[in-house]
Amino acid sequence: MASVPPPPNDPPPTLGSRLLRKERRVVAGLDPQQLIKYFFGANSSIAIIVLVLIMAFLLREGAGFLTTYRHELEVYRQAGLEFCDLADRPLQHQRVLANALRRALSIEMDPLTKSARERRDAAFLLKASVEEKTSASRADLEHALEQTPPPAADSLVHLREVVKQKTTAAAAAAEYPDLFTSAEKSRLQNELSELSPEVSDLPPFLQSLIAEYSTQDQAARSKFAGIISTGELFEEATDPVVEVLDELKAHATETKEQATEYFTLKAGRQQLLDAAATATDPERKAALLAEAEASQSDGVNFGERIESILMRREELISKLQEYCTALEAAFKEMPEQSTTAEATALVSEVRHAIPGHLGEIHQAVENLKNWKWDAPVAFYRSLGAFFFGTEWITNSSWQDFFGFVPLLAGSVVISIIAVLIATPVSVVAAIYTNQFASDREKEIIKPVIEFIQAIPSVVLGFIGISLVGNLIKDFSEISWLQWIPGFPIQERLNMFNAGCLLAFMAVPTMFSLSEDALNNVPRAYIDASDALGATKLQTVFRVIVPAGISGILSAILLGLGRVVGETMVVLLVAGNRIAVPDFSAGLGVVFQPAHTLTGIIAQELGEVSRGSSHWQALFMVGIVLFGISLLVNWCARAVARRFEPHKA
Amino acid sequence: MSADSPAIATPPPVVQVRDMDFCYGASQALFDINLKVEYHRVTALIGPSGCGKSTLLRCVNRMNDRVTGARVTKGEVLVKGKNIHHADVDLTQLRKQVGMVFQKSNPFPKSIYENVAYGLRIHGEKSKSVLDEAVERSLTHAALWEELKDRLHANALALSGGQQQRLCIARAIATLPDVLLMDEPCSALDPISTLKIEELMHQLAKEFTVVIVTHNMQQAVRVSDYTAFLHLGKLVEFAPTEELFTNPREKLTEAYLRGTFS
């Protein structure tokens, strides 16, 4: 509608009225109202556009990973590293078993040789302490003896006298432990008093102590000859295999290095050619082409190089079979029973693992027989190796593996711990604040809990390292708490510690959203319940909480989202051990260190070269993390909708 | 005011309000109220907005207790002869005795069955057969049984507005209260639903005693046996409904009925 022209004697319009008046001023074909509308619309679209850009960027960087990784796995196979690993994997297991045997042996031997060892060590400690107390005068005497020409005889006599006096005093002052009988004590004192830098022989009593220990040690060794000989045979049995394998490994590594060099040069040449194609200056173009030509190198002939490995296939297999026979022979001599329960457990553990280990070797032999260096690596293999791989090994001189499972397991276990701790705390606090707290209490509780959000996560990580870790460690050593699985704990920095701190960080989110959910429960429900004679508790737990349950569940899920994405705390506190947690420890698994999806990106992304397979692998982790966050958020929304009561 | 009510020899009034003053903090809402509610009768409270009819209704089951500063400053309220503000009185028992239906239907976001059983459950009833029986009886009383017996476990919020309000009535009568307070129960309903509830009230009066607050004077005429007219916190007139509407004794009542003010 056209505006009525102002009467001629109107005062000139002020700035405010000009801005506010709906003048028909048209800018770029739009009137101001439409412009404002589009401005607001554009602002809200920015969020969506940025989100799409982030996804596109992540995908662009991460998408190349599968091809790169496949290529690496191809080289791994063609160079023969895979072949070596087939034989090497069971041998790694063998080392674990051998360690267990060694530990069992030391547990067995320890009580038998303990007394002699302690007596010997105590006597040597005494000797050392006497010598240290008299070190000044001993040094003087030694100095005098080394002089040329030798000093006057009487000054030497004097120095000897001083040493003698001091040594006697020190020997008298020394405390002799009750490991020795009183006769032995006085003998020891006498001998220690005689100590002098001029006599290098050990005092006879100390010599006898050494002899005593070695007799006991011999006795113990002959008693446990069974375990000892088994252990030695077991450890030596792999030597021939390892010998062959080491040579093969060296060869394979060499092939791989050549391949890496070739591919690097090839990539460099491609860059030079690209540059030459776009170069405008003909001279420059020629130079670039020449350079590219110069870097031309021959590809690696995998087929030729692999021959020297394949030639020895039969040898390796026969060595492995010999190892099996040696192993069986070694364990025939193994005694059935041990004296201590702990050693028995260890030995029987090894014994039970042996058939499995043998099976492993036989499987390895089969695999070695069937192995083909030129079998193609299927595309899904690289996908599977990423999503189901249990090893994340980077910067290895042997082979990098990007297996995602250890990181996922760490993230999942930590998140579960955090949610299990944070949920009861925050939901109960929300119920209390919303339903029972006085206004004064509300004024304190709400801001304090919301303030937690303002604490920088790096500060929390600091608290986790310095305080929570020590607390958990101290608690785990209390004797009447030993029934808790995993106690006493080994590592201060572990998943439980990280879970506790993340729970603390999730509390504000869960608390505030749960409190809102309870607040949104219609007043009318409470009226109805009260009018029926319900007590306060009955109203809260039978009406208010059930009515607010959708909001509470979605609050928990959003808290979970916060926990999954948190980086700094887990990086500092979770222990950063890249291995799948040992779930056979039952609930005690929570006290093991682990690494996480977020932590690995933060830790490693700064140090890898751009575009390398490692870089791409980290982006893949980022993509998965992004997916998990989206999924959690989507679930939160779905839950809120699913349980939302029908609108009356 | 007992002289105003017709002589009914027995039984004694189920609710009796004696010389009651009521305050919200510093402001007085009710002045010197005297009222007797007889067994098995429907008593209507009418009056202009803000006259204190809802406050008076809520005094009977002490719903006003939840408002800070609200209290009875003089007089007493007796339910079946017992002073409800006496220290011995258990509030949950009082509210079991005096049920209430609100202006806006407010079923819980639970199943129909659970809504009706709620009152019994919170008073400790666990036996399934007792609950089943009470649900059937209450829904029958509320004229809902035939409609809903096949979907007792559907969510109550899926019902229509009128059904929801009748469900609230069923929920309130499940504990077999002596008195049923209704605070403008039809104000949010369409005419057909209103009619159903009004029919229901006559039925309910056979079992229970009903006190209803209403804005709608025709409704008071249709459903009630006695009517109390309140104005500015004072009980102006209390008489059998027919008498009050045809032959009001107070000028103020007459003016209100004629619509001179509202």
Side-chain angles (χ1 to χ4, degrees), chain A residues 270-283:
Chain A
Q270 191 57 47
Q271 276 180 356
L272 287 173
L273 289 174
D274 287 348
T278 54
T280 45
D281 181 6
E283 227 169 90

Side-chain angles (χ1 to χ4, degrees), chain A residues 49 229 423:
Chain A
I49 292 168
S229 72
T423 302

Side-chain angles (χ1 to χ4, degrees), chain A residues 111-122 209-217:
Chain A
L112 294 182
T113 57
K114 194 175 166 202
S115 68
R117 197 181 64 238
E118 280 177 353
R119 278 158 63 86
R120 181 196 64 179
D121 292 350
L209 285 176
I210 292 173
E212 187 187 331
Y213 171 73
S214 69
T215 330
Q216 284 201 5
D217 191 49

Side-chain angles (χ1 to χ4, degrees), chain A residues 26-77:
Chain A
V26 172
V27 182
L30 297 165
D31 71 31
Q33 293 209 35
Q34 271 176 309
L35 273 180
I36 290 169
K37 192 184 97 186
Y38 287 132
F39 173 71
F40 279 77
N43 275 304
S44 53
S45 331
I46 283 177
I48 296 169
I49 292 168
V50 169
L51 189 64
V52 170
L53 283 179
I54 289 175
M55 282 200 267
F57 176 72
L58 275 178
L59 284 174
R60 196 189 66 135
E61 293 290 339
F65 171 73
L66 294 176
T67 0
T68 319
Y69 194 32
R70 179 177 167 212
H71 175 70
E72 283 191 2
L73 289 177
E74 242 164 29
V75 173
Y76 171 67
R77 173 170 292 174

Side-chain angles (χ1 to χ4, degrees), chain A residues 90-91 94-95 232-244 319 323 326 357 361:
Chain A
L91 296 187
Q94 184 266 351
R95 266 162 240 148
E232 279 170 0
L233 285 172
F234 187 38
E235 282 174 40
E236 284 164 9
T238 58
D239 287 354
V241 186
V242 170
E243 208 175 295
V244 177
K319 295 279 188 215
Y323 163 70
H357 180 52
I361 305 263

Side-chain angles (χ1 to χ4, degrees), chain A residues 523-535 538-539 542-543 546-547 645-648, chain B residues 61 63 66 92 95 98 100 102 106-110 118-119 121-123 155 157 164 171-172:
Chain A
R523 179 86 201 149
Y525 294 166
I526 303 166
D527 286 346
S529 179
D530 280 356
L532 284 163
T535 62
Q538 284 172 330
T539 305
R542 288 168 183 248
V543 175
H646 306 257
K647 292 277 176 274
Chain B
N61 66 348
M63 279 299 270
R66 302 182 311 159
T92 63
R95 286 177 179 167
V98 184
M100 186 164 190
F102 294 83
N106 55 357
F108 300 127
K110 298 169 185 274
Y118 182 82
R121 283 199 197 276
I122 59 174
H123 289 108
N155 195 314
L157 295 173
Q164 286 192 14
R171 181 176 65 189

